[in-house]
Amino acid sequence: MNGVSGRMGYRQHLVRSILAIRDQGGVQLSDGRRVQVEPILVGRSEAKLAELAAKHGIENWTTDLDEALADPRWSIYSDFLVTKARATAIRKAIAAGKAIYTEKPTAETFDEALELARLATEAGIKNGVVHDKLYLPGLQKVKRLIDSGFFGRILSVRGEFGYWVFEGDWQPAQRPSWNYRAEDGGGIVVDMFPHWSYVLENLFGRVESVYARAVTHIPQRTDEKGRAYAATADDAAYAVFELEGGIVAQLNSSWTVRVNRDELVEFQVDGTHGSAVAGLFGCKIQPRNATPKPVWNPDLADTHDYDDDWIDVPDNDVFENGFKTQWEQFLRHVLEDAPHPYDFLAGARGMQLAEQGLESSRSGRRIDLPEVTLDGQADELRVPDRATVGG
């Protein structure tokens, strides 16, 4: 486990996933057997690794990645490094013949992400990319609604994600400063568009085009040591995605918005037979035969309580931590070849969307997205002629 001293690597992948699986006696296979997990922690700081290992009863840790990869005891390499360092480490793991499970984005560019997918396939190793938002209870309820035919024909998806990340001067920032430096792999497009890629394609359909505007609203922030720095990466993005089947998705992503919604992420799905609004946990619906009939009248105050027209979707299931659930799915994939479709090629599609979203913002044009295969793209990306771009 490389990069476990970071926020996501420690909290979600080590504590809430691998250690939780260890504490429950391992991962259960289809034949009822349980296989226990044993992690080795890898990082740059001996002091941090030793502290984490002692705190959680972990026997093995090292600052030498090459040594860990050369040891046959460790069959899976997992990566939670900063994006800039990820591809180099993954290449080493591929060369060592390890199964690989990694955070996204898998690389800094689409070409590099596609190359990793090719290398892993050629090496014959199992590989997976974190798709955690598909396992959110709210989105699992949406998937259940889709499978039941509740929506009829889906027309559109609207999504709002984000919150106010403090600038770091009078309040410490909730996110690391590298997130706001493009030269260090930061930016909300690179961070969130890979998420939107797999959410949209797995729930609603393949993303066929993107039109986006990426903005750096706050040009200067203060880092962890109290030093002011230039924010060179985008901190907000406003995008329209066209999906197969004619579905239109509008998603706003922002670290510069104050929250006025039930949860930090919220999706509204509208269809001919009904609509749903889902967050991380909750989901509410409004079927066609219970839809009110609003009438626009700006001269009179509207006293109707529209929130009261929605019906909560019951849990009807036990939803575990999504990171843990996907870890168990990937472990079964490695141990007994159980299905796990979220591979490096899916990671490359996410990076394609991020890259072309940024290009759309630079050029001011909608960009069509060809299908991605291990051989490349079915068609060349149709990028507008720079000479015709105006604002």
Side-chain angles (χ1 to χ4, degrees), residues 47 62 113 115 127 142 177 303 323 343:
T62 181
E115 180 195 6
N127 55 91
V142 169
S177 58
T303 59
F323 288 88
D343 58 7

Side-chain angles (χ1 to χ4, degrees), residues 4-15 52 55-56:
V4 289
S5 60
R7 180 174 58 94
M8 292 292 289
Y10 174 71
R11 186 169 59 188
Q12 295 292 2
H13 291 286
L14 179 62
V15 175
L52 289 178
K55 180 178 180 180
H56 296 289

Side-chain angles (χ1 to χ4, degrees), residues 15 51 53 65 68 101 198 253 263 265:
V15 175
E51 180 184 355
L65 175 61
Y101 185 63
Y198 70 71
S253 315
E263 302 191 61
V265 64

Side-chain angles (χ1 to χ4, degrees), residues 132-147 203 278-283 313-315 317-322 325:
D132 60 287
K133 286 179 174 48
L134 289 177
Y135 298 83
L136 291 171
L139 288 186
Q140 290 191 63
K141 293 173 184 178
V142 169
K143 178 66 164 62
R144 218 160 54 195
L145 292 169
I146 293 171
D147 292 344
L203 291 180
L280 284 83
F281 296 96
C283 181
V313 176
D315 288 344
D317 205 347
V318 176
F319 299 107
E320 285 200 274
N321 178 281
T325 300

Side-chain angles (χ1 to χ4, degrees), residues 288-341:
R288 177 170 58 174
N289 56 6
T291 301
K293 192 175 184 179
V295 176
W296 174 256
N297 186 347
D299 298 320
L300 295 175
D302 193 342
T303 59
H304 185 85
D305 186 352
Y306 291 100
D307 287 339
D308 199 42
D309 295 324
W310 295 80
I311 306 163
D312 285 331
V313 176
D315 288 344
N316 289 352
D317 205 347
V318 176
F319 299 107
E320 285 200 274
N321 178 281
F323 288 88
K324 175 178 179 286
T325 300
Q326 193 182 351
W327 255 111
E328 291 178 314
Q329 187 180 7
F330 183 73
L331 289 170
R332 294 188 190 103
H333 178 57
V334 172
L335 291 162
E336 57 181 359
D337 205 26
H340 188 272

Side-chain angles (χ1 to χ4, degrees), residues 113-390:
L114 189 59
E115 180 195 6
L116 292 179
R118 286 197 199 103
L119 289 173
T121 301
E122 290 167 1
I125 61 171
K126 290 184 166 65
N127 55 91
V129 178
V130 175
H131 279 43
D132 60 287
K133 286 179 174 48
L134 289 177
Y135 298 83
L136 291 171
L139 288 186
Q140 290 191 63
K141 293 173 184 178
V142 169
K143 178 66 164 62
R144 218 160 54 195
L145 292 169
I146 293 171
D147 292 344
S148 74
F150 167 80
F151 293 105
R153 181 168 63 88
I154 295 177
L155 308 174
S156 64
V157 181
R158 292 173 176 82
E160 289 282 347
F161 164 81
Y163 47 94
W164 188 270
V165 177
F166 282 97
E167 300 91 324
D169 47 3
W170 72 285
Q171 285 269 1
Q174 310 96 292
R175 298 187 67 89
S177 58
W178 70 263
N179 281 177
Y180 302 94
R181 293 190 292 265
E183 60 272 23
D184 291 332
I188 202 164
V189 169
V190 172
D191 188 71
M192 293 308 302
F193 277 35
H195 281 302
W196 303 150
S197 174
Y198 70 71
V199 167
L200 293 172
E201 74 175 18
N202 283 282
L203 291 180
F204 307 107
R206 190 181 80 82
V207 182
E208 295 183 333
S209 76
V210 57
Y211 176 74
R213 182 76 176 103
V215 183
T216 305
H217 283 307
I218 298 179
Q220 181 172 295
R221 292 179 177 267
T222 302
D223 68 15
E224 293 81 358
K225 295 183 179 179
R227 299 173 301 196
Y229 68 94
T232 54
D234 42 279
D235 54 24
Y238 312 93
V240 176
F241 307 99
E242 293 179 272
L243 315 183
E244 59 184 331
I247 299 171
V248 177
Q250 305 169 63
L251 298 177
N252 295 329
S253 315
S254 179
W255 290 320
T256 59
V257 62
R258 293 177 176 88
V259 180
N260 183 20
R261 64 190 98 93
D262 291 338
E263 302 191 61
L264 295 187
V265 64
E266 202 165 79
F267 300 91
Q268 178 162 334
V269 184
D270 290 304
T272 54
H273 291 173
S275 298
V277 176
L280 284 83
F281 296 96
C283 181
K284 53 190 179 182
I285 58 173
Q286 189 175 108
R288 177 170 58 174
N289 56 6
T291 301
K293 192 175 184 179
V295 176
W296 174 256
N297 186 347
D299 298 320
L300 295 175
D302 193 342
T303 59
H304 185 85
D305 186 352
Y306 291 100
D307 287 339
D308 199 42
D309 295 324
W310 295 80
I311 306 163
D312 285 331
V313 176
D315 288 344
N316 289 352
D317 205 347
V318 176
F319 299 107
E320 285 200 274
N321 178 281
F323 288 88
K324 175 178 179 286
T325 300
Q326 193 182 351
W327 255 111
E328 291 178 314
Q329 187 180 7
F330 183 73
L331 289 170
R332 294 188 190 103
H333 178 57
V334 172
L335 291 162
E336 57 181 359
D337 205 26
H340 188 272
Y342 313 126
D343 58 7
F344 279 9
L345 195 58
R349 292 194 296 271
M351 198 57 223
Q352 178 203 43
L353 185 60
E355 208 168 79
Q356 296 309 314
L358 289 170
E359 175 59 31
S360 173
S361 182
R362 283 190 291 265
S363 67
R365 299 297 191 197
R366 177 179 65 85
I367 296 180
D368 292 329
L369 300 177
E371 291 192 51
V372 177
T373 68
L374 285 174
D375 296 327
Q377 298 170 125
D379 301 294
E380 289 299 314
L381 283 167
R382 292 185 284 281
V383 180
D385 182 353
R386 296 270 186 173
T388 66
V389 172

